[in-house]
Amino acid sequence: MTPPRDADAVLDGLDPEQREVATALHGPVCVLAGAGTGKTRAITHRIAYGVRAGILQPASVLAVTFTNRAAGEMRGRLRQLGAGGVQARTFHSAALRQLQFFWPKAVGGELPRLLDRKVQLVAESAARCRIRLDRNELRDVTGEIEWAKVTQTVPADYPAAVAKSSREAPRDAAEIGQIYGMYEQLKRERSVIDFEDVLLLTVGILQDRHDIADQIRRQYQHFVVDEYQDVSPLQQRLLDLWLGDRESLCVVGDASQTIYSFTGATPDHLLNFRTRHPSATVVKLVRDYRSTPQVVHLANGLLNQARGRAAEHRLELISQREPGPEPVCAEYADEPAEAEGTARRIRDLIAAGVPAGEIAVLYRINAQSEVYEQALADAGVPYQLRGAERFFERQEVREAGAALRGAARFGGNDSLLDDVVELPSQVRAVLSTKGWTTEPPAGSGAVRDRWESLAALVRLAEDFVRAKPSATLADLVAELDERAAAQHAPTVQGVTLASLHAAKGLEWDAVFLVGLTEGMMPITYAKTDEQIEEERRLLYVGVTRARLHLSLSWALSRSPGGRASRRATRFLNGLRPGSVAPGARGAAPGAGG
């Protein structure tokens, strides 16, 4: 692809709003960009236009985003547009380069070694505090330490900060604060730093050393921040220091796609941008080039019911595509029926010419994947998992399988199973040694994920014995082995199975949003209004992944013959056939159910 002839040619093919973004090269600019509206296109063309017109020096521009993938994509596009010298990096890699360069001058000596994985050091810190953590608790406590650091919370303040943020800590907050304090102490003793320290230390040097801050500000005159709704307080602090008292900043984001607040991300910086920069140019990108009018109509309908600050700034998208099929709402009697129905419809789409790689099944939590892996394997449809291992390859599932196999072989001599006769109770007894409990654990981290996987095995046992009342533990183990074998087909270009969080930033021709029942969407542990609104935004992100075909489904009971006690998610009230919008009278017209 040859780069455009000149600056004006860079603007060819942009719509009026994208062109407004590309030509707004001075002062603060805030781009509110809805899903599928071409935001990356708008900001890369803006940088390229500025460079080609001689207004921006390539080396003086720093474009920051959140993932290496997004930064790489941006660099590739800028090269194609003839603006190859521009830096496009993540916050961390930009800060790390500055830290490596200025450390000898600011502090002296070598920059401390960067920890590859903090989990080992967190484990050691817990042991020093005489607190026992299993592998999953370790991951959760590590996540809490990361959250504390990006929200600039020191160990002593951690318990108060958790209480104030209505965050559900994975265990006693005072204990986590203690482990966090010990972790910081061990890092100092061994002169190592972690990922978050890269930002904290860069902030520290820029605050203390005006000469160094001036040097960086002389180099970078112009900043562009993508996915601005996901910045943490610490990243915002660094950005402020890079800018100094200048306002040559362009931010791009969509408050309706804030779904990572549990990591410390907050849309407040985006929502307060005009207050902080009263002279800002604000451009809204609402022409959606990704999805059909039918998909866009449903996405807009979802946000129309939203509440809270992010909702006040929602964008009403306008589809630029030809009309397509209506979204399908499908209600099933039970979860296996929902999975089989989904697999059947996927097979029909593939037969009609939709490539398997252009189809996705999206769910709220990873433990939901098993029944879809099974249904697709049974239907002979290839699939791949994104952001998680296949169900039977997960460590907790492998460990549980080994424990069940042992119990089936030596069950007669196992005191654990002495008084337990029926199969599901035997399975619960065995899995209780692996961390399964009747009540789910608090919070939403790795401990919860592990529990969900084990709970899925308990449910498999309950369903298996319902279908085959005389089944033994050995029969169940054989069934699990068979299922694992069916799901172990080599991964090829296939249907994507992913959680809603893992689907952000991606798109497909056909999207199946499954398991949309109360308790799963919104998830049980979303309690506050703010948490429930974040769940609504998660569903919105799911809907806006679809270009053409969209299906929303739910099951009234978990297993065949079970009580039909479940309800479809409240977020679809007024949007699915036969349902009533919140505060409305009468039922919604059919929506292709």
Side-chain angles (χ1 to χ4, degrees):
M1 192 178 141
T2 51
R5 293 182 315 282
D6 53 22
D8 286 339
V10 171
L11 302 178
D12 290 349
L14 296 184
D15 70 30
E17 295 80 18
Q18 291 171 341
R19 187 178 277 252
E20 194 185 337
V21 172
T23 52
L25 290 170
H26 299 288
V29 178
C30 178
V31 183
L32 300 171
T37 56
K39 69 180 175 71
T40 311
R41 180 182 169 82
I43 54 176
T44 48
H45 281 70
R46 176 180 187 271
I47 295 168
Y49 177 72
V51 167
R52 301 292 296 275
I55 298 165
L56 304 176
Q57 293 309 309
S60 75
V61 180
L62 178 58
V64 274
T65 182
F66 281 81
T67 64
N68 291 319
R69 196 193 76 194
E73 187 189 337
M74 215 183 251
R75 284 195 294 271
R77 291 205 198 187
L78 288 167
R79 263 199 309 278
Q80 286 173 350
L81 292 169
V86 172
Q87 293 285 329
R89 300 188 163 270
T90 63
F91 271 102
H92 279 96
S93 75
L96 183 59
R97 281 192 67 186
Q98 294 174 13
L99 199 56
Q100 286 166 331
F101 186 79
F102 290 111
W103 186 267
K105 178 176 171 182
V107 184
E110 286 279 292
L111 179 68
R113 186 174 60 80
L114 192 56
L115 265 180
D116 298 332
R117 293 180 62 235
K118 40 171 101 64
V119 168
Q120 282 99 334
L121 201 57
V122 175
E124 204 178 319
S125 308
R128 289 249 184 132
C129 298
R130 297 207 163 82
I131 297 169
R132 285 200 52 172
L133 300 177
D134 70 25
R135 199 180 77 250
N136 291 288
E137 289 174 313
L138 256 179
R139 273 182 32 213
D140 289 344
V141 171
T142 303
E144 286 302 296
I145 290 175
E146 289 171 357
W147 174 82
K149 295 183 79 159
V150 302
T151 53
Q152 303 173 75
T153 304
V154 296
D157 297 345
Y158 170 79
V162 165
K164 188 175 163 209
S165 69
S166 70
R167 200 180 165 74
E168 209 170 330
R171 57 184 299 151
D172 181 60
E175 283 187 338
I176 295 178
Q178 207 184 337
I179 297 170
Y180 174 20
M182 178 60 71
Y183 167 79
E184 291 296 322
Q185 184 185 322
L186 288 179
K187 279 199 333 233
R188 282 193 298 275
E189 286 172 11
R190 289 170 198 184
S191 74
V192 292
I193 57 175
D194 65 24
F195 211 52
E196 288 70 37
D197 291 331
V198 170
L199 301 186
L200 284 160
L201 291 166
T202 308
V203 162
I205 288 175
L206 297 182
Q207 268 171 345
D208 296 345
R209 292 289 299 265
H210 297 292
D211 55 331
I212 292 176
D214 289 343
Q215 200 176 332
I216 287 177
R217 288 171 197 157
R218 276 197 302 277
Q219 152 124 45
Y220 293 118
Q221 308 284 323
H222 197 91
F223 296 86
V224 177
V225 185
D226 192 14
E227 302 286 1
Y228 192 57
Q229 76 279 352
D230 287 337
V231 290
S232 69
L234 180 55
Q235 287 163 331
Q236 180 62 46
R237 186 84 201 87
L238 180 59
L239 182 61
D240 290 341
L241 286 161
W242 281 341
L243 273 166
D245 53 9
R246 302 165 302 169
E247 290 203 303
S248 51
L249 168 67
C250 170
V251 300
V252 189
D254 179 5
S256 300
Q257 294 188 65
T258 309
I259 58 172
Y260 295 114
S261 69
F262 58 90
T263 65
T266 161
D268 290 350
H269 306 296
L270 178 66
L271 300 177
N272 296 337
F273 193 82
R274 289 180 82 163
T275 316
R276 290 191 60 178
H277 304 278
S279 64
T281 305
V282 178
V283 185
K284 293 183 177 179
L285 300 184
V286 294
R287 296 174 199 247
D288 182 334
Y289 296 94
R290 177 187 299 159
S291 307
T292 61
Q294 285 74 6
V295 171
V296 166
H297 178 71
L298 182 73
N300 285 337
L302 262 181
L303 287 191
N304 283 341
Q305 303 176 5
R307 302 278 168 270
R309 279 203 76 196
E312 289 159 23
H313 295 259
R314 64 174 167 260
L315 299 163
E316 187 88 8
L317 298 176
I318 303 161
S319 174
Q320 305 297 302
R321 289 191 54 166
E322 294 292 304
E326 285 291 339
V328 175
C329 288
E331 183 170 277
Y332 293 93
D334 53 69
E335 280 178 21
E338 183 181 4
E340 282 154 28
T342 302
R344 256 198 320 277
R345 294 210 30 228
I346 288 174
R347 214 173 46 199
D348 294 346
L349 282 175
I350 293 172
V354 180
E358 280 299 341
I359 302 174
V361 177
L362 307 180
Y363 34 75
R364 177 63 181 83
I365 59 170
N366 285 322
Q368 287 171 279
S369 77
E370 195 280 332
V371 62
Y372 291 91
E373 293 178 57
Q374 180 68 31
L376 291 171
D378 290 348
V381 173
Y383 67 86
Q384 54 196 349
L385 265 99
R386 187 180 172 86
E389 305 111 315
R390 291 165 179 243
F391 183 78
F392 284 106
E393 284 167 19
R394 291 177 199 157
Q395 184 154 359
E396 61 268 25
V397 176
R398 286 210 306 266
E399 289 170 5
L404 291 169
R405 206 166 287 115
R409 204 171 296 137
F410 310 114
N413 315 328
D414 194 337
S415 59
L416 191 68
L417 302 179
D418 276 354
D419 311 319
V420 189
V421 187
E422 44 128 27
L423 177 62
S425 303
Q426 292 179 336
V427 171
R428 289 187 209 106
V430 173
L431 296 189
S432 62
T433 66
K434 295 285 161 205
W436 179 81
T437 50
T438 47
E439 286 300 308
S444 57
V447 173
R448 178 78 184 219
D449 289 346
R450 178 190 173 92
W451 182 88
E452 296 282 6
S453 295
L454 297 177
L457 286 173
V458 171
R459 292 200 295 269
L460 274 173
E462 292 166 354
D463 296 345
F464 184 61
V465 84
R466 213 175 276 120
K468 211 169 149 190
S470 61
T472 64
L473 199 48
D475 296 335
L476 175 70
V477 168
E479 164 77 3
L480 294 178
D481 288 343
E482 219 167 281
R483 281 178 171 242
Q487 294 178 16
H488 274 302
T491 307
V492 283
Q493 170 68 321
V495 173
T496 301
L497 295 180
S499 71
L500 288 161
H501 280 104
K504 174 121 188 280
L506 304 173
E507 54 185 85
W508 294 271
D509 283 344
V511 170
F512 290 80
L513 299 173
V514 298
L516 299 180
T517 56
E518 283 288 314
M520 199 49 90
M521 174 57 65
I523 195 101
T524 347
Y525 45 79
K527 301 274 200 301
T528 64
D529 290 351
E530 197 28 67
Q531 288 164 340
I532 290 201
E533 285 305 322
E534 182 144 336
E535 293 286 303
R536 187 195 309 273
R537 295 195 291 269
L538 197 50
L539 183 56
Y540 173 77
V541 165
V543 167
T544 54
R545 299 310 94 200
R547 298 192 194 105
L548 183 61
H549 302 278
L550 175 64
S551 165
L552 306 111
S553 64
W554 57 92
L556 295 177
S557 113
R558 193 176 52 66
S559 41
R563 245 178 69 242
S565 56
R566 295 180 166 183
R567 311 198 302 283
T569 170
R570 68 189 81 167
F571 300 144
L572 293 178
N573 288 350
L575 300 174
R576 62 184 177 85
S579 67
V580 179
R585 284 197 170 82

